[in-house]
Amino acid sequence: ERESLDSLPGRKKIYLSWSELRDGIADLVSGFRKIAMQYSPNNNIPYISRVDAGTVELVRACGAEVHTSADLVQRFEATLSEEQIATHLRAAVHLREVMDLAFREIGDRIGRGRSTNEFEIQTFICDRFRDRKLHFDHPPIVAVDAHAGNPHYSPPETGSAPMREGNLVLLDIWAREDHPDAIYADITWTGFIGRTVPDRIREVFDVVRGGRDAGIEKVRSAVAAGKPIRGCEVDDATRNFIRERNFGEYFIHRTGHSLGRQVHGNGANIDNLETQDERQLLPNTAFTIEPGVYLPEFGIRSEVDLILTGDKVEVTGQPIQTEVLTLLGNQG
């Protein structure tokens, strides 16, 4: 049979037999020993595995070795210009300021006896983003107590959980400047509506913070030594810290993701759980480190952003969280 391949509008149709198509591929790869394709061994990185198995077999039958294009994709899709890095840094400053405003607003409302809930604080954050002309693809996470134990919780407009004294509150916010080439920033903090953080919450936060810092140190030490570092290795460093403190079963997602024009970019992810991301972390790329522990009664996540620039590792959006915030007794 002959197949009809419709090209772009205004172009004439091209008719190829299967043998002609096969011979064309053979001519295309002739003389090349290695061919990079949208292929991932064992489908370890599904985002890259887009070529079908039969085409891979055909290229191999023509005498070429098929290699993954994963790091090539990073170079074209995830490496950032100096101006793009500057957009990320500006967005990170905005996020830290909005985070402080949101926690202050929670403390002020509860401290003054006003009722509020997750959805109202989510709306407050979105309004601050709009005030600053920031773009966000969907609203931030605002989660109280058990809702914070769901990594992807989103408060409903109707039936959103109220905030009261004694609640833990998790805020996960992300945004970028409002132009197409801008790069996202993405951070997560936790606060406690009270004056003294309970021991159990403090214990879990310390474990999460330690895992986060172990991941940061893994990147820093590799870069300082001039050694390549893969996303899966950073995930292992973070996850092992948490696992050794008997919370491993409650860390149920990858350690981090690439940052780009979309909040989840196309570079290497910090992942050896959901996928085995063996891509190297390349210079001039950005990514998150955001471990979490999710218990039935509450969840804690601590998220920071990193940028690699040559031989330098920068944790953006300073200062980063070092303890659970207390949201009462600090009004005014």
Side-chain angles (χ1 to χ4, degrees), residues 132-296:
R132 294 162 182 255
K133 296 180 171 57
L134 298 176
H135 172 82
F136 51 101
D137 56 356
H138 54 286
I141 294 172
V142 179
V144 168
D145 289 344
H147 289 164
N150 175 358
H152 303 293
Y153 173 77
S154 181
E157 183 173 358
T158 302
S160 181
M163 293 184 178
R164 302 186 178 96
E165 186 169 356
N167 289 152
L168 175 137
V169 181
L170 181 149
L171 304 182
D172 184 351
I173 65 176
W174 54 87
R176 62 171 172 82
E177 294 181 344
D178 194 10
H179 58 87
D181 219 29
I183 304 302
Y184 269 91
D186 184 5
I187 60 175
T188 304
W189 283 52
T190 50
F192 179 73
I193 304 176
R195 292 169 173 79
T196 303
V197 179
D199 290 343
R200 180 61 168 170
I201 292 176
R202 192 188 306 275
E203 174 195 11
V204 174
F205 178 85
D206 288 347
V207 170
V208 171
R209 180 191 61 193
R212 178 199 71 194
D213 293 348
I216 295 171
E217 179 55 31
K218 183 72 173 180
V219 178
R220 280 180 168 157
S221 61
V223 170
K227 296 180 178 179
I229 181 71
R230 300 176 297 160
C232 57
E233 295 176 286
V234 183
D235 183 275
D236 286 344
T238 300
R239 196 169 305 280
N240 287 341
F241 182 96
I242 293 173
R243 185 180 294 123
E244 288 166 2
R245 285 146 185 85
N246 300 317
F247 285 97
E249 66 181 294
Y250 304 107
F251 182 14
I252 55 177
H253 58 69
R254 64 190 177 189
T255 290
H257 59 83
S258 169
L259 286 168
R261 298 174 183 87
Q262 296 80 38
V263 69
H264 288 187
N266 290 324
N269 296 312
I270 312 303
D271 188 4
N272 201 20
L273 178 72
E274 300 173 25
T275 68
Q276 187 178 37
D277 202 324
E278 296 183 334
R279 289 177 288 180
Q280 293 183 19
L281 301 177
L282 300 180
N284 298 325
T285 59
F287 53 90
T288 70
I289 291 183
E290 49 179 300
V293 167
Y294 305 98
L295 305 174

Side-chain angles (χ1 to χ4, degrees), residues 59-76:
V59 171
R60 285 173 172 163
C62 294
E65 297 177 13
V66 176
H67 290 257
T68 180
S69 62
D71 281 333
L72 287 176
V73 170
Q74 277 206 96
R75 292 188 185 279
F76 289 108

Side-chain angles (χ1 to χ4, degrees), residues 13-143:
K13 295 179 180 179
I14 302 172
Y15 294 91
L16 293 174
S17 68
W18 167 241
S19 61
E20 289 170 331
L21 180 60
R22 182 183 58 201
D23 291 345
I25 292 175
D27 289 341
L28 184 65
V29 303
S30 177
F32 293 97
R33 187 169 61 86
K34 297 180 180 180
I35 302 292
M37 302 181 72
Q38 297 290 76
Y39 155 78
S40 175
N42 299 314
N43 199 33
N44 284 339
I45 311 174
Y47 329 106
I48 300 299
S49 287
R50 299 189 179 186
V51 63
D52 66 277
T55 301
V56 171
E57 291 170 355
L58 178 59
V59 171
R60 285 173 172 163
C62 294
E65 297 177 13
V66 176
H67 290 257
T68 180
S69 62
D71 281 333
L72 287 176
V73 170
Q74 277 206 96
R75 292 188 185 279
F76 289 108
E77 293 263 346
T79 56
L80 309 177
S81 67
E82 289 185 8
E83 176 52 32
Q84 285 179 308
I85 291 172
T87 70
H88 167 82
L89 295 175
R90 291 193 294 267
V93 171
H94 282 300
L95 288 195
R96 280 290 298 108
E97 292 175 354
V98 171
M99 184 72 78
D100 288 344
L101 290 172
F103 277 127
R104 190 175 303 129
E105 183 71 10
I106 294 168
D108 183 70
R109 293 186 187 189
I110 303 303
R112 298 178 188 277
R114 295 174 53 195
S115 64
T116 194
N117 61 39
E118 296 165 324
F119 184 78
E120 289 177 355
I121 297 302
Q122 183 189 68
T123 301
F124 174 89
I125 294 170
C126 291
D127 288 344
R128 302 292 80 71
F129 285 166
R130 296 185 184 101
D131 292 343
R132 294 162 182 255
K133 296 180 171 57
L134 298 176
H135 172 82
F136 51 101
D137 56 356
H138 54 286
I141 294 172
V142 179

